[in-house]
Amino acid sequence: MLGRLGSFLRAARRRREFEESMAEEVQFHIEAYTDDLVRSGMPPEEAARRARMELGSVDSVKADCRESRGLAALDALVQDLHYALRLLRKNPAFTATALTTLAVCLGANLTIFAVVDSVLLRPLPFPAADRLVRVFNTYPKAGVLDDGMSIANYYGRRGHIAAFSSVAGIRERTAVVGETGSTEREPVAQVSPEFFSTVGLAPVMGRAFTDEETTYQTDGVVVVTDAYWRQHLGADPHVIGRTIRVDGFTKAVVGVLPPEFTFLSSRARLFFPLASSLEQRLPGQRHSGSGAQMIARLRPGTTLAEAQSEVDGHNAVREADDSLGKRMAEAGFRTLVVPLQADHVSKVRPTLLLLQAGVLFLLLIGAVNVANLLLIRAGDRLKEFAVRQALGASRPQVIREVVTETTVLTLLGGLLGLAVGAAGIRLLGVLGAEHLPLGARIVFDARVALAALAGAVVLGLAIAAPIAWYSLRTHATGALHEGGRGGTAGRAATRLRHGFLVAQMALAFVLLSGAGLLALSLERVMALSPGFRPQNILTGQITLPWKTYDKPSARLAFTQRLLDELAHQPGLRAVGVSTNVPLSGRNGMSAATVKGYVVPPEGSLHGHYSYGVGGEYFEALGFALREGRFLGAADSGSAQRVCVVDEDFARHYFPGRSAVGQRLFPGSKEGTDAEAFTIVGVVGPVKQAGLTEDGGPGAVYYPYVYRADNDEIFVVTRTSVAPESLVPSLRSVVRALDPDLPITDIRSMEGRIADSVIVRRSPAVLAALFSAIAVFLTAVGTYGVLSYAVARRRREIGLRMALGARPEQVRGQFLSLALRLLAAGTVLGVLGAWLTGQAMRAILFQVPPVHVATLATAAAIIGVVSLAACLLPSHRAARISPMEALAEE
Amino acid sequence: MPKTAELLPGTLDMLILKAVSLRPLHGYGVLLRIRQISGDALDIPQGSLYPALYRLEHQALIAAEWGQSDNNRRAKYYTLTAAGRRRLRDETEGWNRLASAIATALGTAPEEV
């Protein structure tokens, strides 16, 4: 089979060579035979004639030879292609319009498909990636939906859940990497020893971690990615054993990962053991969230449901023995098992699918335009088709020709669309596509290109269907009779064209109203207050490595020196530090226990945001003070344990009472009086997880020194000049204090807010772009159909005007046709918009799925644009001169 | 001229393979060789010779190469490939079985039934 295909391809490629060699061979035969005949005594002329006669027609022998080689079908195809290309060349205006439309529509589809493919469809780069799951603790009634895993969970579940062939933990963080003077803050990850074997990609050089390397004393080892190995270690083949300085410690390289290794959206290039203390591993620490996530590999043949029920059983046994078990049950504690990839992209899935649907609508609109143009042209060629059918052209032949023509057109459009798509993917980069989960792997590769071209072929076949139907419906006799206006087929074609136009208006309407809903949602989100004054705030992140800053006092001392230095910088009005800032993307919560508070029946513990703040944090961000006072510099040093809570917290625990003077304990248990923090102030709530966060879980602000166990801090400064202008001085102050401390992620607060809505803004921008194109295409479509209607009825109009019809009547006739089509399109459009609104519910914010003003605006835009598009044709109709129109035939 | 027999359908390919198996031949040579080895009893229609050769080449049963003819002209020579050799053997066996079965059948006398 392959051999035959090869022979066919070789012959097709070297067609000329094939023809020449065949001719030479046949010629040789004739001459050799002639020679033999002459030798046997025949006169030369007679011999030549005889030789030719016995061979038969040279042409038919050649044709039979070609057929033997499978070239006949190729010849027919080549002929059809020539014909199709000639038609396209003959009508440059038509071809340019159709190709531009197809290129834009197919390119837009390719762009969105590239995203859908890489985020939703393409499996993770691991063997049997569909068996990878994430396992996380959830406490929904406490407002904590995802608490990952605790270290104790990892040691408790490891080897104890038969449904999992392995479980592993990963914690992503940042670290200061490099030698003194040239340090950089790098995203890194800490992983348990079986992490690499769980995902199924072991280091290609060296080894993974061992159990012995999971304590704080023995974790001086690192596995690097292929990219890090090439960029920072010179692709050294003897890299194993070399050392890297991380947070001031020396780490020995023990392994290098394969190039394809990427874990979800993690940018980590260095992997360390997930080290822990023996205390952290005790069963009593099961609910102490560690910031780590658990992944597991399902044993072959095990289902997700089986794994879930086994995990539930595993939990039930342990909760029964736990003193905190009742509290946790009240909080709705469960451990969920979810598919790794689907879970990772679940938030963007509806948005991406909607965008894909929207852009498919756009393609339909474009396809309708092309089909209408082709229908018009097929109408002009009815006579030709009829003549050819009368001369014996078979139906399959006509169909083949139409299909070849439309497919050539859509394929050419698809090829141009590849360029549009490549540009579109660039545009997505500008719109922040890499912020999407798995967004970093969005590529324009052969797979996407092939999908686009396959789509183009399907589109070609789809467009061919109505054209072929129309061309064949024409009865030979009907079309031959009259001046090209085949009776019933003509009416059917008109109905088809009008139907197409109505569908097009409806689709454009749906796209417009969908884009309107997204834009309105974005506007409403942007109008929300973050709870602080975001103008003129510059923030940056610093990682304080354990080696140099091992004690809270050392960290506190650093922050105080930093605050002192910054206080002297010109342009800075207020300076603070904090363990977290609003909209940073870190939304971890921890429990707090209010002294004397009794959890009501059916109630539960609550998770809260917990910050350690120093300096003038509240003043720098511009918090609203509701009661009492802010925390001040003195609170970190004093023996008095004080804290500030926000209004959400106060309302939850002290409804109708003052929170000031009340006492609380960090964690889920009451402690001794000496451990209690006294609330000294209540501040307004700020949005932590996102602008749309509503009735947040409440927050507790402790003096930095009590929360200094985190190695990352944010610097927050309120500036009196443009925040960006102070970036260099912020950088140099930090470097002057400690040359090993890079400050990164320096951004204005307004920038952080803008980034936090990127998952809303980018789809809204894309939808607006798509609907603008859709409206334009609809205008082109309306103009085309109306112009054709006018041209077709030229004679009739001329006759009517000759009989006394006024130009306004003629104009009105076409405007009323346009209005009727518009009305039908709008009705269908409203119906479609209603359905679309329902489908969009999940991604709308404070906008009802049916928003009357949006529908009215969409209707107005479509109405104005399509009526404008039909003004010119109807005007032309009104100016038809009866004499000329009637004289034409 | 001796009497020539009609060619049975499907036998042309077999004859070409046989002819080519003896030594490399050009198209006209195949024609002559079939005539010669069949004792001038088989004459193949010249019009179907070349399509058959192209078909066999397409099926990779024979291979073609340009060479010099006896009178120093350029000619396309066909040789048998390994696959062609196998096919020829199979077809020969099949043909012999068929021929002997038909001969036996036709040679049956009334008393043997």
Side-chain angles (χ1 to χ4, degrees):
Chain A
M1 183 64 214
L2 271 180
R4 278 179 211 195
L5 185 69
S7 152
F8 174 85
L9 288 179
R10 270 194 306 280
R13 198 167 359 148
R14 301 201 301 253
R15 189 61 198 265
R16 175 175 294 178
E17 211 174 295
F18 173 86
E19 290 290 337
E20 282 170 359
S21 116
M22 185 165 67
E24 186 175 351
E25 188 171 14
V26 172
Q27 190 56 36
F28 173 82
H29 176 100
I30 292 169
E31 286 172 14
Y33 191 26
T34 310
D35 287 352
D36 280 357
L37 288 174
V38 169
R39 221 168 291 141
S40 70
M42 201 177 278
E45 260 173 51
E46 169 71 8
R49 205 182 57 84
R50 173 87 182 273
R52 271 179 204 288
M53 212 178 61
E54 277 193 39
L55 185 66
S57 149
V58 173
D59 281 342
S60 83
V61 168
K62 281 184 180 174
D64 287 347
C65 286
R66 281 185 208 111
E67 191 150 2
S68 303
R69 203 48 85 81
L71 286 171
L74 183 76
D75 282 345
L77 182 65
V78 168
Q79 201 181 342
D80 282 353
L81 278 177
H82 271 300
Y83 187 63
L85 287 173
R86 204 171 62 223
L87 275 179
L88 293 181
R89 265 202 308 273
K90 237 171 66 184
N91 294 301
F94 161 80
T95 308
T97 313
L99 284 185
T100 312
T101 307
L102 289 169
V104 168
C105 295
L106 284 168
N109 269 276
L110 186 156
T111 307
I112 300 301
F113 178 73
V115 180
V116 169
D117 180 48
S118 53
V119 174
L120 301 182
L121 301 181
R122 234 175 256 225
L124 296 173
F126 307 123
D130 56 330
R131 309 205 63 75
L132 289 174
V133 294
R134 187 166 83 89
V135 184
F136 65 98
N137 296 335
T138 180
Y139 307 85
K141 290 187 188 158
V144 181
L145 293 179
D146 182 355
D147 201 35
M149 69 160 198
S150 62
I151 297 295
N153 283 151
Y154 166 66
Y155 285 96
R157 290 173 195 158
R158 194 183 179 200
H160 287 99
I161 294 176
F164 297 145
S165 57
S166 67
V167 298
I170 175 170
R171 173 161 56 203
E172 295 191 56
R173 42 181 290 263
T174 57
V176 177
V177 180
E179 300 298 329
T180 302
S182 64
T183 51
E184 277 175 67
R185 224 169 130 255
E186 273 269 347
V188 300
Q190 294 171 292
V191 297
S192 65
E194 60 284 82
F195 178 79
F196 299 114
S197 60
T198 302
V199 298
L201 282 184
V204 281
M205 205 193 299
R207 59 170 175 87
F209 302 127
T210 64
D211 272 342
E212 288 68 46
E213 288 162 348
T214 55
T215 72
Y216 290 125
Q217 291 74 41
T218 57
D219 65 348
V221 286
V222 57
V223 167
V224 301
T225 62
D226 183 76
Y228 191 89
W229 176 63
R230 288 178 194 283
Q231 285 167 26
H232 294 269
L233 301 171
D236 178 3
H238 308 294
V239 73
I240 303 301
R242 264 176 73 172
T243 57
I244 303 175
R245 269 175 86 79
V246 179
D247 288 344
F249 293 98
T250 302
K251 304 269 187 184
V253 176
V254 297
V256 179
L257 291 168
E260 70 271 24
F261 185 92
T262 323
F263 183 68
L264 299 177
S265 304
S266 168
R267 281 157 207 232
R269 298 193 296 172
L270 298 174
F271 291 81
F272 308 107
L274 180 58
S276 56
S277 64
L278 291 177
E279 291 76 47
Q280 287 174 298
R281 304 180 189 181
L282 294 175
Q285 298 295 315
R286 296 176 54 242
H287 295 287
S288 310
S290 60
Q293 290 294 344
M294 176 176 282
I295 60 163
R297 183 172 277 278
L298 290 178
R299 206 178 279 286
T302 318
T303 65
L304 204 62
E306 285 163 11
Q308 180 65 63
S309 78
E310 213 178 310
V311 166
D312 287 343
H314 177 90
N315 273 353
V317 173
R318 277 151 191 81
E319 287 304 300
D321 299 344
D322 197 325
S323 60
L324 282 172
K326 190 176 156 290
R327 285 260 173 97
M328 297 305 156
E330 284 166 1
F333 166 64
R334 260 195 94 188
T335 301
L336 299 180
V337 183
V338 292
L340 186 62
Q341 183 174 8
D343 168 68
H344 187 66
V345 300
S346 61
K347 280 218 178 81
V348 294
R349 190 188 159 82
T351 309
L352 287 184
L353 291 182
L354 264 171
L355 276 178
Q356 183 72 74
V359 83
L360 275 174
F361 275 25
L362 182 64
L363 181 61
L364 280 180
I365 292 174
V368 163
N369 266 3
V370 174
N372 262 343
L373 287 173
L374 284 167
L375 264 181
I376 289 171
R377 223 181 46 183
D380 296 341
R381 283 169 58 200
L382 275 186
K383 235 180 172 174
E384 175 200 332
F385 275 118
V387 169
R388 291 182 38 206
Q389 268 183 284
L391 289 178
S394 64
R395 287 170 157 264
Q397 237 167 339
V398 172
I399 292 175
R400 206 185 59 207
E401 232 180 74
V402 171
V403 167
T404 308
E405 191 189 343
T406 56
T407 313
V408 163
L409 194 63
T410 54
L411 257 182
L412 286 176
L415 285 173
L416 293 173
L418 293 184
V420 175
I425 288 171
R426 288 257 175 94
L427 174 72
L428 287 183
V430 176
L431 288 174
E434 79 276 15
H435 291 292
L436 286 172
L438 301 182
R441 59 177 193 163
I442 295 173
V443 283
F444 177 35
D445 61 1
R447 177 180 152 112
V448 176
L450 273 179
L453 292 180
V457 170
V458 172
L459 186 66
L461 296 178
I463 294 180
I467 314 296
W469 167 82
Y470 175 53
S471 305
L472 288 175
R473 221 188 116 120
T474 320
H475 241 286
T477 43
L480 283 176
H481 268 160
E482 198 205 336
R485 283 185 61 183
T488 52
R491 271 199 298 283
T494 304
R495 271 205 300 277
L496 195 59
R497 265 196 304 274
H498 290 177
F500 275 159
L501 184 58
V502 166
Q504 195 174 40
M505 287 170 170
L507 288 171
F509 187 99
V510 170
L511 264 184
L512 257 184
S513 71
L517 291 181
L518 286 183
L520 206 59
S521 287
L522 176 67
E523 194 190 329
R524 300 220 160 139
V525 170
M526 290 303 283
L528 293 170
S529 161
F532 55 89
R533 285 176 284 119
Q535 302 79 15
N536 286 339
I537 300 178
L538 189 64
T539 61
Q541 219 181 333
I542 303 175
T543 301
L544 296 172
W546 288 109
K547 172 115 186 215
T548 0
Y549 302 93
D550 56 341
K551 293 197 181 64
S553 57
R555 289 154 186 271
L556 181 66
F558 172 80
T559 60
Q560 268 159 358
R561 274 192 296 145
L562 177 65
L563 292 171
D564 288 345
E565 280 298 320
L566 288 175
H568 295 115
Q569 291 292 317
L572 293 184
R573 293 223 307 258
V575 188
V577 293
S578 172
T579 51
N580 198 0
V581 292
L583 307 172
S584 64
R586 296 146 190 259
N587 311 320
M589 291 190 247
S590 41
T593 308
V594 168
K595 192 175 168 65
Y597 177 76
V598 183
V599 178
E602 302 295 308
S604 152
L605 271 180
H606 259 258
H608 305 286
Y609 297 129
S610 156
Y611 305 78
V613 301
E616 303 165 293
Y617 177 74
F618 296 102
E619 291 87 344
L621 269 187
F623 271 70
L625 181 65
R626 302 282 193 238
E627 202 186 344
R629 64 171 178 90
F630 291 140
L631 292 178
D635 292 318
S636 262
S638 104
Q640 279 282 329
R641 292 172 155 238
V642 295
C643 68
V644 160
V645 298
D646 72 359
E647 258 182 329
D648 289 330
F649 187 96
R651 199 179 308 117
H652 181 73
Y653 290 100
F654 319 108
R657 291 183 288 147
S658 168
V660 173
Q662 303 281 354
R663 312 179 84 191
L664 59 80
F665 306 90
S668 44
K669 277 185 276 211
E670 273 197 27
T672 63
D673 276 359
E675 290 164 345
F677 285 81
T678 306
I679 299 172
V680 295
V682 179
V683 295
V686 298
K687 302 285 170 57
Q688 178 60 44
L691 286 177
T692 57
E693 191 175 37
D694 188 27
V700 187
Y701 298 87
Y702 301 95
Y704 173 69
V705 68
Y706 299 111
R707 274 282 172 271
D709 49 351
N710 197 327
D711 54 359
E712 287 170 8
I713 58 167
F714 286 86
V715 185
V716 182
T717 61
R718 178 162 290 274
T719 63
S720 49
V721 292
E724 287 76 15
S725 66
L726 292 175
V727 173
S729 57
L730 190 57
R731 227 183 261 282
S732 65
V733 165
V734 175
R735 280 277 179 196
L737 283 176
D738 183 340
D740 281 358
L741 283 193
I743 177 165
T744 54
D745 194 24
I746 307 181
R747 274 189 291 167
S748 72
M749 211 61 211
E750 283 177 317
R752 284 186 195 275
I753 291 177
D755 282 356
S756 79
V757 297
I758 204 154
V759 291
R760 287 185 184 277
R761 182 181 296 118
S762 301
V765 169
L766 286 175
L769 185 66
F770 295 157
S771 35
I773 300 174
V775 169
F776 176 72
L777 290 178
T778 306
V780 171
T782 312
Y783 174 80
V785 168
L786 264 291
S787 301
Y788 185 66
V790 171
R792 254 169 53 93
R793 292 160 81 170
R794 211 174 144 73
R795 239 183 348 147
E796 175 201 324
I797 296 167
L799 192 62
R800 282 178 50 205
M801 296 194 43
L803 293 175
R806 289 194 310 276
E808 301 85 74
Q809 283 173 316
V810 172
R811 190 182 296 133
Q813 174 198 350
F814 284 99
L815 281 176
S816 98
L817 168 67
L819 276 175
R820 277 202 311 278
L821 296 178
L822 180 63
T826 308
V827 169
L828 278 179
V830 169
L831 202 67
W834 180 74
L835 289 173
T836 313
Q838 301 302 326
M840 288 170 70
R841 235 169 225 285
I843 58 171
L844 294 181
F845 179 75
Q846 290 184 0
V847 177
V850 179
H851 187 255
V852 178
T854 305
L855 293 183
T857 313
I861 293 178
I862 300 274
V864 167
V865 169
S866 20
L867 288 181
C870 79
L871 273 184
L872 194 61
S874 32
H875 187 62
R876 211 181 289 146
R879 285 181 40 167
I880 287 174
S881 140
M883 296 309 288
E884 281 173 28
L886 291 172
E888 265 168 22
E889 286 285 314
Chain B
M1 214 170 172
K3 199 176 169 195
T4 56
E6 278 287 306
L7 216 49
L8 282 172
T11 49
L12 176 58
D13 287 7
M14 195 164 51
L15 289 171
I16 293 176
L17 291 178
K18 179 66 193 174
V20 170
S21 77
L22 301 172
R23 55 168 285 207
L25 292 170
H26 49 67
Y28 183 59
V30 171
L31 192 77
L32 296 180
R33 177 57 52 89
I34 291 175
R35 244 183 233 165
Q36 179 220 337
I37 58 181
S38 67
D40 280 349
L42 294 173
D43 196 8
I44 57 174
Q46 296 189 17
S48 42
L49 173 67
Y50 286 94
L53 282 170
Y54 275 74
R55 187 167 57 244
L56 292 171
E57 191 193 346
H58 187 45
Q59 295 167 357
L61 298 176
I62 57 177
E65 207 177 7
W66 286 92
Q68 291 298 113
S69 76
D70 299 338
N71 49 0
N72 272 339
R73 297 257 325 268
R74 224 165 84 87
K76 201 167 159 195
Y77 279 87
Y78 294 92
T79 49
L80 204 61
T81 64
R85 198 167 300 285
R86 271 197 303 280
R87 170 70 66 87
L88 177 61
R89 199 180 54 226
D90 293 349
E91 299 238 338
T92 310
E93 277 171 20
W95 175 262
N96 287 340
R97 259 201 312 279
L98 181 70
S100 71
I102 290 176
T104 313
L106 293 180
T108 309
E111 59 273 21
E112 287 175 49
V113 179

